[in-house]
Amino acid sequence: MNRPGAGPSGLTPGSIGWLHDLARWLGTWIFTPFFRIRVRHQDRIPAEGPVVVVANHSAFVDGPLLFGMFGRRVVFLVKQEMFRGPLRLLLPALGQIPVRREVADRRPLTAALDVLRGGGVVAVFPEGTRGTGEVAAARQGAAWLARTASAPLLPVAVRGTRRPDGVGRRFRPTVDVLVGAALPIPSAPGREGLAAATADVADALRALVRELDGGGPRNGDSYEAGSNRPGRE
């Protein structure tokens, strides 16, 4: 049962559960004509309970691509600039949370915290903006959410969505998604505790990126998106 004033299970108030589920289902295959998507260690995604997903960010498509890959409802913190035109109505209906960058505003974090306290999944790009995807820096919002909601941090690395500089259009490039092992729930108090947890997040993401870039051993479950694969409702 949802709490008073809460939205559908795992989502924000005002969202539409069936629409979110439909969009997530579409996300499991809609990108396959454009990318060869390989996902590894999906089994590391907790089947229930609050989770803060942290992912690197190098291309616009990263968020929509990941949206359908968790096997659960997931709420993303999305930059305010995306809430324009048709997306101004669609994104809130899907339960996504607008964030104004470079503005001190606790409302997005409070909304995300409510989702976590309801047992949901919140996804954050801790770099704060698109870059090379190598996680040169990370912000503390994800660590604060995890510590306040007593939720584990789950690092996820994506490589292949960003077109390298000087490279022309690519035909169905390979995109690798690697789910890391969950990090311990941050417990150290104060700003120093947040800084330490944020450093752990950045280190974990960099390690996953290096693993993907290095082409090392690829153990664990692996599948190409769009094929028959294990999943969760």
Side-chain angles (χ1 to χ4, degrees), residues 54-59 62 101-102 124-142 156 158-159 198 201-202 205-206 209:
V54 285
N56 64 325
H57 195 21
S58 61
D62 291 337
R101 295 178 295 180
E102 310 303 334
V124 180
F125 293 114
E127 295 166 276
T129 187
R130 294 195 300 273
T132 62
E134 295 172 353
V135 198
R139 300 186 179 186
Q140 296 184 356
V156 178
V158 182
R159 295 299 267 174
T198 301
V201 166
L205 287 174
R206 291 186 193 115
V209 169

Side-chain angles (χ1 to χ4, degrees), residues 11-86:
L11 298 176
T12 55
S15 58
I16 303 172
W18 68 262
L19 183 62
H20 177 102
D21 295 338
L22 174 62
R24 188 163 55 83
W25 174 75
L26 290 173
T28 63
W29 59 267
I30 198 169
F31 293 101
T32 55
F34 310 103
F35 301 105
R36 288 187 64 249
I37 303 168
R38 303 184 299 193
V39 182
R40 294 196 294 281
H41 290 305
Q42 190 196 25
D43 59 298
R44 289 173 170 168
I45 301 170
E48 58 185 15
V51 181
V52 178
V53 172
V54 285
N56 64 325
H57 195 21
S58 61
F60 167 79
V61 75
D62 291 337
L65 187 148
L66 289 175
F67 181 69
M69 293 189 177
F70 293 107
R72 296 179 58 182
R73 290 177 172 178
V74 56
V75 171
F76 278 81
L77 293 175
V78 182
K79 65 179 182 179
Q80 178 71 51
E81 293 87 342
M82 292 299 301
F83 288 73
R84 294 177 178 175

